[in-house]
Amino acid sequence: MRLKLFGRTAVIAMTGLAMLHTEAALAQGGIDNSSLTSPAFREHKRTFGLVYTLPKEVNDVLAITIGGLLREKLLDANLIDEALRFNIPHVTVLHIHNSDPTTPEKMLKAMPKLPPVLNLTLKTFYTTEAAKGAGHPWWLDLGIVKEGPGFEAMMAFNTIATTALTPLRDGPLPRVTGPVYAAMGDAGKELVQTVGVSGLNTVKDGKELRPHNPHNTLVYSMAKFTPEIQAAFNQTAAEFNQILPEGIKTTFKTVSIVELGFSGNVLREIYRIGLDDGAVLNVATGAVVAK
């Protein structure tokens, strides 16, 4: 399950091959975009995803440098839900919505060749909202330095994984429907229609498009992103950037199939896959799954 070539030409060629294998899934998957015409968010049933979980040493650094400050700022802003919400820290490859409980097994079966072990730097805190002016949801994120072979390999894999796995969705992610979809530009709406969410890499007319923005999220919020909240957490991001000006160097050695909440927070890890050897671990049982 190793992907050894990450040039854009190779990515486009491999994506084309993946498309041949997923056309049947697209035809038979029962993908329903009707919720995109509704003014309300689509009902959330189950969302699954592919993510890189943050290594313990990175979580430890975040906990002892900005963890306490972040919790204090959330409580001061009366964002109690945000302070309590559970999340396994991670960097997303992609998320898909499907109420079928066998979706993780289907994702594992459809998994494309994996990237190598990724060496990256987590750096720069910032706030973002699902679509500008939509009101909610919004997040406080920690970005990734967008250069180097690790970043290029991560982006190339996103393109291939998008083609291989998004046909397994039953429709768009609920958080990009309703007021979020209405506030999106044409490019974002096209991605939601075709792959179920904005911010994924695709190939169009033989050209690789790269809107994907890999990051780790620290705050998930459905509170209204008012000017006051935005100002407060932009200031929080600025303070955190002063505390960790050089960021945190990290290595991703695994990628995991997970289940997520409405806002994209990871609730449980299902399968963990080694980037070095492709070995698959069933996290609940501890058993190694046969390839």
Side-chain angles (χ1 to χ4, degrees):
M1 296 178 74
R2 288 287 299 275
L3 178 59
K4 297 181 179 179
L5 297 176
F6 285 93
R8 290 202 176 193
T9 301
V11 169
I12 291 170
M14 293 188 72
T15 302
L17 290 173
M19 288 177 68
L20 293 177
H21 291 293
T22 55
E23 282 179 352
L26 280 166
Q28 301 173 11
I31 295 170
D32 181 4
N33 279 335
S34 62
S35 61
L36 297 179
T37 61
S38 171
F41 287 111
R42 179 190 183 193
E43 179 186 4
H44 179 262
K45 293 183 178 178
R46 301 187 80 171
T47 295
F48 297 98
L50 187 65
V51 309
Y52 309 98
T53 57
L54 261 59
K56 180 181 183 300
E57 56 269 23
V58 175
N59 290 326
D60 288 348
V61 169
L62 291 172
I64 64 177
T65 55
I66 59 96
L69 290 170
L70 178 57
R71 185 177 180 84
E72 192 81 357
K73 290 175 183 295
L74 290 170
L75 294 175
D76 287 346
N78 201 32
L79 295 174
I80 309 302
D81 178 83
E82 290 78 356
L84 295 175
R85 188 162 296 278
F86 180 81
N87 172 57
I88 298 173
H90 63 280
V91 172
T92 293
V93 179
L94 57 83
H95 299 165
I96 60 173
H97 187 274
N98 197 321
S99 59
D100 180 359
T102 68
T103 299
E105 287 73 26
K106 293 175 181 177
M107 291 173 66
L108 187 61
K109 185 177 180 180
M111 190 68 61
K113 289 186 178 181
L114 299 174
V117 170
L118 302 174
N119 294 305
L120 303 149
T121 299
L122 293 163
K123 185 179 178 182
T124 307
F125 297 87
Y126 60 93
T127 62
T128 187
E129 51 187 323
K132 187 173 179 57
H136 60 174
W138 63 271
W139 304 276
L140 175 66
D141 291 339
L142 172 58
I144 284 179
V145 174
K146 295 177 171 58
E147 60 182 22
F151 175 74
E152 290 300 319
M154 175 180 276
M155 292 295 277
F157 180 61
N158 180 269
T159 306
I160 298 167
T162 296
T163 300
L165 300 179
T166 57
L168 297 174
R169 72 195 187 281
D170 65 5
L173 287 180
R175 69 174 179 269
V176 298
T177 61
V180 171
Y181 182 78
M184 284 181 172
D186 291 343
K189 287 182 176 179
E190 181 179 358
L191 281 173
V192 172
Q193 293 165 13
T194 55
V195 294
V197 65
S198 61
L200 292 178
N201 293 344
T202 57
V203 174
K204 184 176 182 180
D205 299 328
K207 180 180 180 181
E208 187 184 10
L209 306 179
R210 286 189 165 189
H212 185 54
N213 178 38
H215 58 272
N216 167 244
T217 297
L218 294 100
V219 174
Y220 296 84
S221 182
M222 279 298 289
K224 291 294 185 180
F225 198 46
T226 63
E228 294 77 16
I229 290 291
Q230 184 173 2
F233 283 90
N234 282 347
Q235 178 61 33
T236 297
E239 292 174 10
F240 289 178
N241 287 326
Q242 291 171 351
I243 295 169
L244 292 167
E246 302 303 317
I248 307 171
K249 293 187 181 299
T250 187
T251 298
F252 291 138
K253 299 179 181 179
T254 62
V255 67
S256 298
I257 295 173
V258 298
E259 184 166 359
L260 307 102
F262 175 91
S263 295
N265 50 311
V266 171
L267 303 175
R268 69 178 178 117
E269 191 179 1
I270 304 168
Y271 296 114
R272 186 183 305 159
I273 311 166
L275 297 182
D276 55 349
D277 59 7
V280 180
L281 176 71
N282 182 317
V283 174
T285 66
V288 175
V289 178
K291 297 178 184 178

